[in-house]
Amino acid sequence: NKRNMRNRIGIFSTVLLICIFVMQSCHPPWEDHYSNHDNQVDMELWEAIKLEPRFSTFVSEMQAYDLDTIFNDGLVYTLFVPNNEAFEAITDTGNIMESILPYHIAKTIFIDRNVQKWRRLLNISGKYALVEFNGSDYTYDGIPMEDGSPLFLNGKYYEISAVALPKPNLYEFTAQRSVILKNYIDSKDSVYLDRSLSTPIGFNEAGNTI
């Protein structure tokens, strides 16, 4: 009857209001902390970094090795940017700066909150860095990641308080410690030409097909 129908509607409305209240009260506190990460800024990533005085050493090193030109290719990037104090802490880089800088650049838009525990992130050096979440903070190869930037037109950045040093792979480790073993491995290297997928473009001075 109509009375039972009104009672059912009233009960349903009450339950619905309770559910809405519970959902709002369970709003995760970390969501407020990360909500500003998705803000978009109408500016290029590299231009934004050049405006930050605390990143001036990173900018000058990137320019010295022409790595700033990667932002001309129209792709998106995430940068893990050491501040000036982090570079000052490096006392002897020798000629390895050229390999250190690409280790801080990933060819993707990386969002830290998508990491539940840990994730290996490929950077343009061809190596993987380890991003970890300990329940409250994120680290890049063990280095604390500061608050991330807004989302710029072609990527975003995270500030880190130390320079991340890429670890050598097995071949690099061997080459550093044994010239003899390195030369032996190099001697076993070979190049294979798949003729079915190749197109000759001419001949060299010896008459061999190019």
Side-chain angles (χ1 to χ4, degrees):
N1 54 33
K2 292 183 179 180
R3 178 176 295 179
N4 289 337
M5 180 64 69
R6 285 197 297 269
N7 290 339
R8 290 173 183 171
I9 294 175
I11 293 173
F12 176 78
S13 299
T14 302
V15 172
L16 180 61
L17 289 173
I18 293 173
C19 290
I20 293 174
F21 175 78
V22 170
M23 291 175 64
Q24 289 179 342
S25 64
C26 292
H27 179 71
W30 45 261
E31 191 161 310
D32 293 332
H33 178 71
Y34 289 113
S35 61
N36 64 343
H37 279 209
D38 294 331
N39 291 341
Q40 297 185 2
V41 177
D42 190 20
M43 179 184 291
E44 296 287 335
L45 172 61
W46 185 238
E47 295 303 316
I49 290 177
K50 289 192 295 184
L51 292 176
E52 297 291 346
R54 67 186 187 280
F55 297 151
S56 60
T57 303
F58 178 79
V59 169
S60 62
E61 293 290 350
M62 289 279 287
Q63 292 172 334
Y65 290 97
D66 292 329
L67 281 171
D68 57 319
T69 60
I70 65 173
F71 302 105
N72 299 329
D73 58 14
L75 301 177
V76 296
Y77 292 93
T78 299
L79 303 185
F80 297 86
V81 187
N83 53 39
N84 293 344
E85 289 76 12
F87 280 99
E88 291 174 1
I90 301 180
T91 57
D92 183 18
T93 60
N95 59 353
I96 65 173
M97 187 59 71
E98 190 172 5
S99 64
I100 289 177
L101 294 173
Y103 194 69
H104 296 77
I105 307 171
K107 195 181 294 185
T108 183
I109 294 181
F110 174 76
I111 306 297
D112 54 4
R113 68 174 179 270
N114 292 335
V115 177
Q116 301 299 317
K117 187 175 181 181
W118 63 270
R119 174 185 167 186
R120 294 196 178 279
L121 181 64
L122 179 65
N123 46 62
I124 66 171
S125 70
K127 296 179 179 293
Y128 287 89
L130 181 63
V131 179
E132 295 181 280
F133 178 55
N134 62 13
S136 59
D137 299 307
Y138 294 86
T139 59
Y140 186 81
D141 266 5
I143 302 169
M145 293 166 50
E146 305 295 337
D147 233 4
S149 73
L151 181 62
F152 296 102
L153 293 175
N154 59 338
K156 65 180 301 171
Y157 70 79
Y158 296 90
E159 180 179 353
I160 55 179
S161 57
V163 176
L165 302 178
K167 298 176 179 61
N169 58 32
L170 183 58
Y171 173 79
E172 292 169 339
F173 180 84
T174 301
Q176 291 173 2
R177 284 159 175 77
S178 175
V179 176
I180 296 176
L181 188 54
K182 174 187 179 300
N183 292 338
Y184 175 77
I185 295 174
D186 291 344
S187 69
K188 299 302 178 180
D189 196 9
S190 61
V191 176
Y192 173 73
L193 175 64
D194 190 335
R195 295 182 181 275
S196 64
L197 299 177
S198 304
T199 302
I201 60 174
F203 300 91
N204 61 16
E205 294 178 355
N208 298 316
T209 302
I210 301 176

